[in-house]
Amino acid sequence: MNEAEGLRQRRPLRPQVITEDNAAQETKGGSTYSNKVFRMTFMTLAVSLIIPLFGAIVLLDCPIDPQPISFKEPPPLSGALEPNFKLRQAERLFENQLVGPESIANIGDVLFTGTADGKILKIEDGQIQTIARLGHGPCGTGGDEVTCGRPLGIRVGPKNTLFVADAYYGIFEIFPSSGEVQRLVSSKVPIEGKNLSFVNDLAVTRDGRKIYFTDSSSKWHRKDFCLLIMEATDDGRLLEYDTVTKEVKVLMGGLRFPNGVQLSPAEDFVLVAETTMARIRRYYVSGLMKGGEDMFVENMPGFPDNIRLSSSGGYWVAMSAIRANPGFSMMDFLSEKPWIKRIIFKLLSQETVMKFVPKYSLVVELSETGSYRRSLHDPDGMVATYISEAHEHNGHLYLGSFRSPFICRLNLKDV
């Protein structure tokens, strides 16, 4: 081939013209590839998470068998229930010197309480003294309370002895001067065929003859109270113990977490807080209505714990969780969705679930007929946390707690 023929066979190189369309196509191609990579990565991660999660939901056992319940729309937080910060004016007493002072009683100016480590404490002139222990040690952690005992409700009898409800051991009478302990009702003895698994609160008549007390469940123990609430178990009871005949009888059954107990000033009826249902029931123990029962307060703004008399002739009711309106209540939302409850408790422990419950402390004062007189709030539980009782003494409210390491005292003149 000569030079001329070689030149004829060569084709001139045309310059490549880059336009906006070409650039867009290249960008689109790269973007499409990136999107495909992202989608594949996301799908891989999703499948790797969903399959084990689905397997856990299907295969894992659920510790509860939740029952559907229904609530009315919570009452609006207005009027006597208007939110405020009055509980934040309380002062903390004996901080980190005791844990879980659930209930408080007084003889004169001497206070008594039971704590999470199974002790009955006497508080006098700023000093704390252990006068009795209902269980046995060691008592280092919350898991020990089954053996250590967990004193909950505490009352003073007509002879200045203490009557105490222990969640695991039963009903006791304690002599503060000597520390002598007498068991009146043993939780080891079934009542009408059912165990006393969660003895909670009690009330004593002025003559000391009758003791009314709650057994929150025949299935669940106190340490599993979150499971009891979420399952909405209806095996709780109100019982009566006669200190003379030594007989125990069931007054009410089918209750969902019966909790606080309070005799009326005339001792003609007993009030019972039904915590899971956010209401207070009434049972008549004397008079023409004896043996009858009705609703004292229903659809409350929170979940009631202990009930105690107020100096005005009404009742103090403590609540550590509310049903906000306006707002969101997890209990109301889950009440008719047992399938969601099952999933939650297959995946999470009750301690983890408790962390999702907003801290909001509320104390309401009810009139003698059950209407709201006033309310004391601590939104977010900044000062008074996990309150279980409001005990009035000498112009102050002493706030018990099932969990906090202190007692709160609120001067009622300040609120």
Side-chain angles (χ1 to χ4, degrees), residues 127-164:
Q127 301 297 314
I128 298 177
Q129 177 187 353
T130 301
I131 61 171
R133 182 188 287 278
L134 302 180
H136 53 85
C139 303
T141 65
D144 297 328
E145 69 176 43
V146 176
T147 54
C148 290
R150 182 55 170 107
L152 298 176
I154 185 169
R155 300 284 191 162
V156 176
K159 298 180 181 179
N160 282 345
T161 60
L162 302 175
F163 291 91
V164 179

Side-chain angles (χ1 to χ4, degrees), residues 63 343-353 356:
I343 292 174
I344 290 173
F345 282 95
K346 282 187 175 187
L347 302 176
L348 303 175
S349 67
Q350 58 179 321
E351 291 77 16
T352 302
V353 173
F356 290 96

Side-chain angles (χ1 to χ4, degrees), residues 251-253 255 281-284 289-295:
L251 302 181
M252 297 176 71
L255 302 176
R281 305 278 288 269
R282 172 166 51 188
Y283 183 89
Y284 293 89
M289 295 286 290
K290 183 177 180 179
E293 58 184 82
D294 59 16
M295 200 68 63

Side-chain angles (χ1 to χ4, degrees), residues 33-48:
Y33 177 76
S34 298
N35 287 339
K36 288 181 178 179
V37 172
F38 173 77
R39 284 198 298 268
M40 288 299 295
T41 304
F42 177 79
M43 289 298 294
T44 301
L45 290 173
V47 169
S48 65

Side-chain angles (χ1 to χ4, degrees), residues 219-342:
K219 174 183 178 181
W220 298 105
H221 294 299
R222 196 218 73 92
K223 64 184 179 63
D224 298 317
F225 74 91
C226 182
L227 300 181
L228 168 59
I229 293 175
M230 286 298 185
E231 187 176 70
T233 315
D234 61 351
D235 62 346
R237 298 178 292 176
L238 171 68
L239 303 100
E240 175 191 88
Y241 172 70
D242 189 311
T243 59
V244 175
T245 66
K246 314 299 183 185
E247 293 179 345
V248 181
K249 64 179 180 179
V250 177
L251 302 181
M252 297 176 71
L255 302 176
R256 301 182 193 272
F257 198 167
N259 200 331
V261 184
Q262 178 59 54
L263 272 163
S264 68
E267 297 192 345
D268 57 336
F269 60 79
V270 176
L271 298 179
V272 182
E274 195 175 10
T275 300
T276 299
M277 300 306 297
R279 64 192 182 190
I280 297 176
R281 305 278 288 269
R282 172 166 51 188
Y283 183 89
Y284 293 89
V285 294
S286 66
L288 296 176
M289 295 286 290
K290 183 177 180 179
E293 58 184 82
D294 59 16
M295 200 68 63
F296 188 68
V297 187
E298 60 180 337
N299 197 35
M300 299 185 76
F303 300 95
D305 201 326
N306 284 353
I307 310 169
R308 294 297 183 262
L309 292 175
S310 72
S311 58
S312 64
Y315 306 92
W316 293 110
V317 183
M319 309 178 201
S320 62
I322 69 163
R323 306 167 61 217
N325 183 11
F328 173 78
S329 167
M330 182 174 70
M331 279 293 294
D332 286 63
F333 173 75
L334 294 175
S335 62
E336 297 183 359
K337 303 175 181 66
W339 62 275
I340 297 181
K341 291 183 181 180
R342 286 191 180 93

Side-chain angles (χ1 to χ4, degrees), residues 95-130:
E95 191 161 8
N96 297 321
Q97 298 179 55
L98 40 70
V99 178
E102 163 92 11
S103 181
I104 300 165
N106 70 280
I107 300 176
D109 290 331
V110 180
L111 301 180
F112 297 89
T113 189
T115 52
D117 53 3
K119 296 177 181 177
I120 305 299
L121 303 181
K122 172 183 177 181
I123 304 174
E124 184 176 16
D125 297 327
Q127 301 297 314
I128 298 177
Q129 177 187 353
T130 301

